[in-house]
Amino acid sequence: MTVAPHFAFKNNVLHAEDVPLTQLAKEHHTPLYVYSRQALRDAWEAYRVAAEGRNVLVCFGMKANSNLAVINEFKKMGSGFDIVSGGELARVLAVGGDPGKVVFSGVGKQVWEMQAALKAGVKCFNVESEAELDRLSQVAADMGQVAPVSLRVNPDVDAHTHPYISTGLKESKFGIPIERAPQVYQHAASLPSLRIEGLDCHIGSQITEAAPYLDALEKLLDLIDQLASQGITIKHLDLGGGIGIRYTNETPVTPKELLDQVFDRLAARKLGHLQIVLEPGRSLVGNAGVLLTEVQYLKHNEAKNFAVVDAAMNDLLRPTLYEAWHDVEPVQPRAGDKQSYDIVGPICESGDWLARDRQLAVEQGDLLAIMSAGAYAFSMASQYNTRPRPAEIMVDGSEVHVIRPRESVDSLFSSEKPLP
Ligand code: LLP
């Protein structure tokens, strides 16, 4: 049993939909990212069902996986996008995404990024500080435009997730403290080149329960009441992203379970007219991908057994950065005794590991699939140690599409120049 339903064993070989991973490794080599198109569709379906009959806009948090093929699938299914840079905006425009369904998040927006987003006509800027508000107002005024804004407030709730991906606590760099929000909204209302549209928060990532969202929601609804008494109308409430996925044995809240409770509370507070915006990243793509890698060497020392593979921390940073757990599946499981292995890469860092203490029966040359590698995987990859980034493949039934070829070694330094 694997954690991701579109990656299953048939005749003792792990497949992506109808394609054996052994075939993909042979044709496209390793390390290799392999995605399932149906998994993207199914993940989207969970949000579509949750949003049905309700005023909800789902904006894919595309930092999780920004390949054009991936974002184009979501665009076609009706998704908007949560962007955090001018680069991500350019990707949305490159696939013909509707800027009117784009929200622009992030704590450090630069002038050129604001200009590009205003020119494109994004739905909203999620503003994270007073200094940013002033800059945006100036940039919009210079362009003779009015910028649509939400303030990202920090509701000071604990999302019960890893500290590096928990963003709603007081000590976080993100957002505006909720107590200060009324004053900052008042300031925004006084700036003629801004138009207040909404209220925004994002409390963290890989959240598995509804409770932290509902705690945040209560605080945000109180704030909306307070703002109404100041004459400030909020049209949409953006609850950010954060719904978790199953990496091992988690059973995360579903979009429908969450939205049912959110809409109950909105109704109870007579705020049913609000549009709800969501910015899911991981839950739309995380279990739609695997990282396929080949065992180069087995190495045994007194304390440990190592399987040295051809993927590394530059390809998948999550294990070493967050001590994240990714399931590891042999693509063709062997009979025989299992031993405990650390799965490590070739990079010259002790932190270069992908999984630790896994019970496996493996031999040199075997293929392993690092599971749940559709989110924050390729998008966080680097070329450290002058390693070309892997190819990305999208499987659709029995069809195979190369959605990004493997980088060539030459391309990694072709723009560099020795000094004269
Ligand atoms: N909206 C905002 C403002 C965000 O900062 C994020 C993620 C999202 C939406 C999407 O959150 P999601 O639905 O994916 O949880 N690299 C880390 C995760 C970092 C999340 C950053 N912000 C990881 O690999 O676990």
Side-chain angles (χ1 to χ4, degrees), residues 148-169:
V149 296
S150 285
L151 295 190
R152 173 170 175 181
V153 303
N154 187 336
D156 194 27
V157 299
D158 187 352
H160 304 294
T161 182
H162 190 285
Y164 284 15
I165 51 178
S166 191
T167 46
L169 284 171

Side-chain angles (χ1 to χ4, degrees), residues 155-160 201 203 207-219 239 243 251-254 257-259 261-262 265:
D156 194 27
V157 299
D158 187 352
H160 304 294
C201 79
I203 55 175
I207 300 169
T208 54
E209 313 150 27
Y213 286 101
L214 300 174
D215 292 349
L217 180 65
E218 287 303 328
K219 294 188 176 188
L239 295 175
I243 293 186
T251 306
V253 60
T254 66
E257 286 161 358
L258 181 61
L259 282 188
Q261 298 185 67
V262 166
R265 307 234 170 163

